Amino acid sequence: EDQVTQSPEALRLQEGESSSLNCSYTVSGLRGLFWYRQDPGKGPEFLFTLYSAGEEKEKERLKATLTKKESFLHITAPKPEDSATYLCAVQDPMNRDDKIIFGKGTRLHILP
Amino acid sequence: EAQVTQNPRYLITVTGKKLTVTCSQNMNHEYMSWYRQDPGLGLRQIYYSMNVEVTDKGDVPEGYKVSRKEKRNFPLILESPSPNQTSLYFCASSSRTEQFFGPGTRLTVL
């Protein structure tokens, strides 16, 4: 059974303190791994899609990387406005209708 | 602007009173889905649709119905809501590479 596990569940950082969020996954095959940002009470906002091990993508202070077992979302010199829950999801082509499976997220809080 | 819209955004209702949450997308996507999000449980898929007139159950379909008569619309129907359906609901519309979520509907069933 496909599984997506995100760690830590919650993370508090000082402004400017870089860190990484982890998403480990167990799938039969990987069509894509997705990262989203979600603010309280709002819908998830798409950030990145990664397709194969070794791939990296960047957007402002965020960089996502992918290996065969896990993905990292690196946050460099974060600002308070980066505070949000970050969700990871995988799409397994062996699943019926290419179902997307979500992790439970990491709640990130950046202190000014 | 590419977007997914949901209505209503907030709804308080009573047990057993049928309700419909509408969802519409303007991206011509074939794939649409409904999720509920509960504390500690994350996002769980309720129903999805691969195309017009093609729908299928997700992980938690009990108590819900959907229809897909047009490509752009994918309403979620609760025929007889119960308190355990109190949740935050999201509609999503997907291409092969991205998934766009609506703003959410916060439903309370008393």
Side-chain angles (χ1 to χ4, degrees), chain A residues 10-30:
Chain A
L11 181 62
R12 293 167 71 92
L13 300 171
Q14 289 294 138
E15 183 172 2
E17 181 184 0
S18 301
S19 189
S20 298
L21 314 183
N22 177 263
C23 171
S24 63
Y25 61 92
T26 305
V27 295
S28 302
L30 185 68

Side-chain angles (χ1 to χ4, degrees), chain A residues 18-90:
Chain A
S18 301
S19 189
S20 298
L21 314 183
N22 177 263
C23 171
S24 63
Y25 61 92
T26 305
V27 295
S28 302
L30 185 68
R31 188 184 297 286
L33 184 140
F34 310 94
W35 282 99
Y36 298 85
R37 169 194 170 122
Q38 186 177 23
D39 294 301
K42 296 189 176 181
E45 174 191 344
F46 171 79
L47 293 173
F48 306 110
T49 305
L50 301 168
Y51 296 101
S52 58
E55 189 175 1
E56 298 183 353
K57 288 193 176 174
E58 288 189 65
K59 181 179 180 179
E60 296 181 356
R61 294 177 293 281
L62 301 176
K63 183 168 86 171
T65 62
L66 181 64
T67 73
K68 287 186 178 180
K69 296 289 186 184
E70 58 192 351
S71 176
F72 292 94
L73 185 65
H74 307 278
I75 302 177
T76 302
K79 298 181 178 181
E81 54 261 42
D82 294 321
S83 298
T85 295
Y86 290 85
L87 299 171
C88 170
V90 298

Side-chain angles (χ1 to χ4, degrees), chain B residues 7-63:
Chain B
N7 282 292
R9 296 289 315 280
Y10 302 91
L11 179 61
I12 300 175
T13 190
V14 295
T15 299
K17 185 176 182 182
K18 181 179 178 180
L19 66 93
T20 299
V21 184
T22 64
C23 173
S24 183
Q25 52 100 357
N26 64 359
M27 294 165 279
N28 202 37
H29 289 160
E30 294 179 344
Y31 191 102
M32 297 183 73
S33 52
W34 275 102
Y35 294 86
R36 63 179 288 175
Q37 189 173 40
D38 302 287
L41 298 177
L43 279 165
R44 294 181 292 167
Q45 192 180 53
I46 302 170
Y47 267 94
Y48 64 95
S49 170
M50 301 285 284
N51 211 329
V52 175
E53 302 292 2
V54 181
T55 63
D56 211 340
K57 297 177 181 179
D59 297 315
V60 286
E62 294 78 22

Side-chain angles (χ1 to χ4, degrees), chain B residues 13-16 19 35-39 41 44 46 60-64 76 78-89 107-110:
Chain B
T13 190
V14 295
T15 299
L19 66 93
Y35 294 86
R36 63 179 288 175
Q37 189 173 40
D38 302 287
L41 298 177
R44 294 181 292 167
I46 302 170
V60 286
E62 294 78 22
Y64 305 94
L76 178 70
L78 285 72
E79 294 268 3
S80 183
S82 62
N84 64 11
Q85 293 178 297
T86 293
S87 187
L88 182 57
Y89 290 87
L107 173 65
T108 301
V109 183
L110 301 175

